[in-house]
Amino acid sequence: MLDNELLAKLNEDDRQRLAPHMMVFELDRKAILQPAGEEVVNTWFPCGSSLASFQLGSEDGEGAVEVALIGREGAIGGIVSNGSLPAYANAVVRVGGSFFRLKTAALEQAKLDSLTLRHWFSRYSDCLIAQIFQTSACNATHTIMQRAAKWLLAAMARTRQPQVAITQEQLAETLGVGRTFVARVIRQLRDEGIISTSRGAITIINRSALQAKACRCTELIENHYDVVLHGIYPRDP
């Protein structure tokens, strides 16, 4: 099923349960997968280098803070909520590409028909919640440099590309900090030869040096995925 690790690791019977209900969409950046407050009627599986994220709007309505980044290791939608329940956060495409769409009703029926499928997606829900927990702790305790480096490395691992399509303004919004703070971080990383910047993109030149700037949050998340869903979480290329 294209290049989504969560689906690729299913057994053949469970893949066949889902396959007739799957549709492939090519989505552009900023496409809304799931609006906050509306019923979750679809589940989306990013494939290949596609990225999406859960975002919470700010109180002034002028920005959105990212609470989880989802790539080929996961899914967005009814896989977590277990039914057509209201979505708490917006789900937005960060890097465009291929996405599988599965109706939540079809997923729920497949989970009723297969205990292994139900357990598999419950384990993914646990991993996603762990990621959100770790992100919350990271936002509260780590520097903007550490968080920015962590985010860039996570995006690189998921897309398998050293170039990340994001502006400094978008990175600041993602991290929930002022643009001037991110501008200082980017300038320092660029001056140290760790990254380069171009219009609308940041390119990682020295991954090991960037890793030295990052916090250990991604490593902790990787370790949890390895215990609960071994081989799912994307590693650095």
Side-chain angles (χ1 to χ4, degrees):
M1 289 188 176
L2 287 180
D3 190 9
N4 178 277
E5 302 294 344
L6 196 63
L7 296 175
K9 294 292 193 299
L10 292 175
N11 63 51
E12 185 61 27
D13 288 343
D14 285 336
R15 278 200 296 270
Q16 292 305 316
R17 283 187 175 89
L18 299 180
H21 307 287
M22 291 284 192
M23 296 183 66
V24 181
F25 289 79
E26 294 296 323
L27 301 178
D28 294 328
R29 185 180 173 278
K30 293 186 178 181
I32 304 296
L33 300 176
Q34 170 183 297
E38 295 188 10
E39 285 195 352
V40 181
V41 297
N42 295 312
T43 298
W44 297 90
F45 298 85
C47 298
S49 60
S50 302
L51 284 180
S53 68
F54 288 111
Q55 300 177 359
L56 294 177
S58 60
E59 290 185 2
D60 59 15
E62 295 184 357
V65 178
E66 182 179 285
V67 294
L69 185 66
I70 312 297
R72 65 185 189 278
E73 83 288 350
I76 289 168
I79 195 169
V80 174
S81 63
N82 293 317
S84 300
L85 304 174
Y88 187 75
N90 290 312
V92 182
V93 175
R94 294 303 305 260
V95 175
S98 299
F99 287 76
F100 270 124
R101 190 192 74 181
L102 175 64
K103 289 292 183 183
T104 301
L107 175 59
E108 286 305 299
Q109 185 57 56
K111 286 159 73 175
L112 289 174
D113 293 339
S114 171
L115 183 62
T116 58
L117 193 66
R118 188 157 68 249
H119 285 172
W120 184 250
F121 288 148
S122 292
R123 288 158 65 190
Y124 172 68
S125 297
D126 174 87
C127 289
L128 180 58
I129 291 170
Q131 181 180 344
I132 294 171
F133 284 172
Q134 193 64 45
T135 298
S136 177
C138 181
N139 291 345
T141 59
H142 294 141
T143 66
I144 297 172
M145 171 65 80
Q146 289 174 311
R147 293 165 55 203
K150 179 201 72 172
W151 193 92
L152 290 171
L153 288 166
M156 179 183 177
R158 285 170 168 81
T159 62
R160 302 185 179 116
Q161 298 293 332
Q163 186 177 80
V164 180
I166 193 169
T167 65
Q168 292 185 34
E169 183 176 1
Q170 290 162 356
L171 182 58
E173 183 179 287
T174 294
L175 300 177
V177 299
R179 183 178 178 181
T180 55
F181 294 106
V182 167
R184 291 176 200 154
V185 165
I186 294 300
R187 183 166 56 250
Q188 179 180 338
L189 292 174
R190 189 172 55 226
D191 290 347
E192 293 180 17
I194 296 173
I195 65 169
S196 65
T197 58
S198 57
R199 186 175 179 85
I202 298 171
T203 301
I204 299 168
I205 299 173
N206 189 332
R207 189 197 66 82
S208 59
L210 185 62
Q211 194 169 37
K213 300 282 189 182
C215 55
R216 293 185 59 245
C217 289
T218 295
E219 179 185 344
L220 296 174
I221 295 168
E222 287 177 349
N223 292 341
H224 187 72
Y225 266 82
D226 280 346
V227 172
V228 180
L229 288 173
H230 183 70
I232 295 294
Y233 199 83
R235 303 291 182 172
D236 287 332

